[in-house]
Amino acid sequence: INAEYMGEKPYCMRVLVTGGSGYLGQFLLQRLRKNATHSVVFTANKNVIQGNVPEQQWQMNLADPTSVAEVINKVGPVDVVVHTAAISSPAVCARDISSDRVNCCVELVDALRITSPDALFIFISTDMVCGAAGTPDPFACAPVNQYGTSKCNFEKIISANWPEHLILRPSNILGEPAPITGSRGKFLFWLEDQLRDSRAHPVPLFDDELRNFVDVANLVDVIEIAIERFSRARGRSLNQTPWLCSGRVFNAGGPAALSRMDLARLFCENVLAQPISSTIATAVPRSSVDLGFVSPLDLTMDSSALAQEFGITLTPVQQILRRVFCECNLL
């Protein structure tokens, strides 16, 4: 499908990114900003990005139906929606049922159906809609907590009501500090701080919780490719020239399922250039810890279909660590 579009110029697309001040949202804005073909607007809730940001930004509260309707009406027609905004903490979702209104915002779909019914809708879901590894249908929704349930419900709404859509189910996201705000508020940087100070007290880390940690650059690559394909297909008949070959829902994890202890071992080997030891980290079974919410131990996912569809190579964690901490000289 890439060869079919080679040599054609993409149409100028107006792209709306929700959650533009979030971690993935900032990387996406940074990438799209470099592409002079498309114009970008974005929304945020409380953390509206300050400073000289060329994109048009709007403050929108997904929990407030009036705010959603007013902002989407003011934004006007768009060609692509990338919906990254969410309350992504399972613990918060378990405590506050009102988070469902944010993670499954029906009003957003209703408002966009009025202004942009023909747009491509890219929804960033989560691996937690899948329940656990080993289920008969790896793409069936089988969530076991409130966070996964709210995301699953929104997947169903998009699948049933939005003809041109793409749903990505990422696992834990790894990458550099947020490019616009510089925030280091991700697990990877917590781990770095803990391992650097581990001489006094070894870091306790789960060794039985498996996740396919995914490179933020892989996710941005997929979204950018999807937008470019859609923009070229829009110049033809979408019915005659499909821009996706193998479905609308994709697992979006890294190439290997790892525990947090595995991640610490790889950090020591690839960044600190030393083997991990009991003086640096100690294994703790997550099954013995009450998180305050239900979370599967094993969320291993196969994302080979994503890699094949979009022609990307999923980045191994070792390579992510070397890029983030060695090439960027963060240590």
Side-chain angles (χ1 to χ4, degrees):
I1 196 165
N2 283 335
E4 182 181 0
Y5 291 137
M6 286 182 64
E8 293 188 14
K9 293 183 179 180
Y11 280 65
C12 178
M13 310 292 278
R14 191 162 187 255
V15 182
L16 168 63
V17 179
T18 70
S21 61
Y23 186 71
L24 175 59
Q26 290 187 46
F27 281 95
L28 186 56
L29 291 178
Q30 182 189 53
R31 179 72 65 82
L32 293 176
R33 186 184 301 174
K34 295 178 181 179
N35 187 343
T37 303
H38 308 306
S39 63
V40 183
V41 294
F42 71 92
T43 68
N45 183 11
K46 297 178 181 178
N47 301 316
V48 177
I49 301 172
Q50 303 296 324
N52 185 23
V53 180
E55 290 84 9
Q56 189 176 10
Q57 55 183 312
W58 299 87
Q59 188 166 355
M60 182 173 72
N61 181 4
L62 288 173
D64 180 355
T66 301
S67 172
V68 173
E70 289 180 350
V71 170
I72 295 302
N73 182 61
K74 291 177 181 177
V75 167
V78 295
D79 301 293
V80 178
V81 178
V82 187
H83 185 35
T84 76
I87 296 177
S88 56
S89 166
V92 172
C93 293
R95 294 193 305 266
D96 185 1
I97 193 68
S98 64
S99 62
D100 285 4
R101 182 175 289 278
V102 174
N103 289 341
C104 186
C105 186
V106 177
E107 292 82 6
L108 178 65
V109 177
D110 291 341
L112 287 167
R113 190 182 288 126
I114 296 172
T115 65
S116 310
D118 299 322
L120 166 63
F121 197 115
I122 302 176
F123 174 46
I124 307 303
S125 186
T126 173
D127 57 353
M128 286 201 174
V129 303
C130 302
T135 54
D137 181 356
F139 292 103
C141 279
V144 296
N145 57 38
Q146 196 61 37
Y147 173 55
T149 298
S150 61
K151 288 281 196 173
C152 177
N153 289 339
F154 198 72
E155 282 193 15
K156 293 177 180 177
I157 291 172
I158 294 302
S159 298
N161 296 283
W162 211 275
E164 294 299 334
H165 68 269
L166 171 64
I167 296 172
L168 303 177
R169 295 174 171 175
S171 187
N172 299 46
I173 302 174
L174 302 181
E176 291 81 357
I180 299 176
T181 64
S183 171
R184 289 165 53 96
K186 298 295 288 184
F187 170 74
L188 185 59
F189 298 104
W190 174 88
L191 180 64
E192 178 226 344
D193 292 339
Q194 296 299 309
L195 292 177
R196 290 177 65 185
D197 296 333
S198 64
R199 295 178 182 177
H201 302 285
V203 185
L205 295 168
F206 298 145
D207 66 344
D208 57 347
E209 180 186 77
L210 298 179
R211 301 291 186 264
N212 287 78
F213 295 94
V214 63
D215 188 356
V216 66
N218 287 160
L219 295 177
V220 174
D221 285 343
V222 167
I223 295 169
E224 184 180 40
I225 292 169
I227 293 173
E228 293 304 305
R229 284 189 184 178
F230 184 75
S231 70
R232 287 174 167 85
R234 175 153 281 189
R236 308 178 176 189
S237 168
L238 288 174
N239 293 328
Q240 296 177 359
T241 310
W243 59 278
L244 283 176
C245 294
S246 56
R248 301 281 181 172
V249 181
F250 292 89
N251 290 338
L258 303 170
S259 69
R260 296 189 179 197
M261 194 67 178
D262 292 330
L263 192 60
R265 173 180 56 80
L266 293 173
F267 185 94
C268 289
E269 294 172 355
N270 290 273
V271 180
L272 300 180
Q274 67 182 74
I276 196 169
S277 68
S278 59
T279 62
I280 297 176
T282 181
V284 175
R286 206 221 69 193
S287 55
S288 66
V289 178
D290 182 6
L291 300 177
F293 61 92
V294 179
S295 179
L297 286 177
D298 188 356
L299 275 179
T300 301
M301 58 166 51
D302 179 2
S303 300
S304 57
L306 179 83
Q308 181 176 359
E309 172 68 45
F310 292 96
I312 66 168
T313 300
L314 298 171
T315 312
V317 165
Q318 299 94 311
Q319 187 175 331
I320 301 172
L321 292 172
R322 289 193 293 267
R323 186 189 76 217
V324 171
F325 293 101
C326 300
E327 296 175 16
C328 294
N329 297 314
L330 291 179
L331 278 178

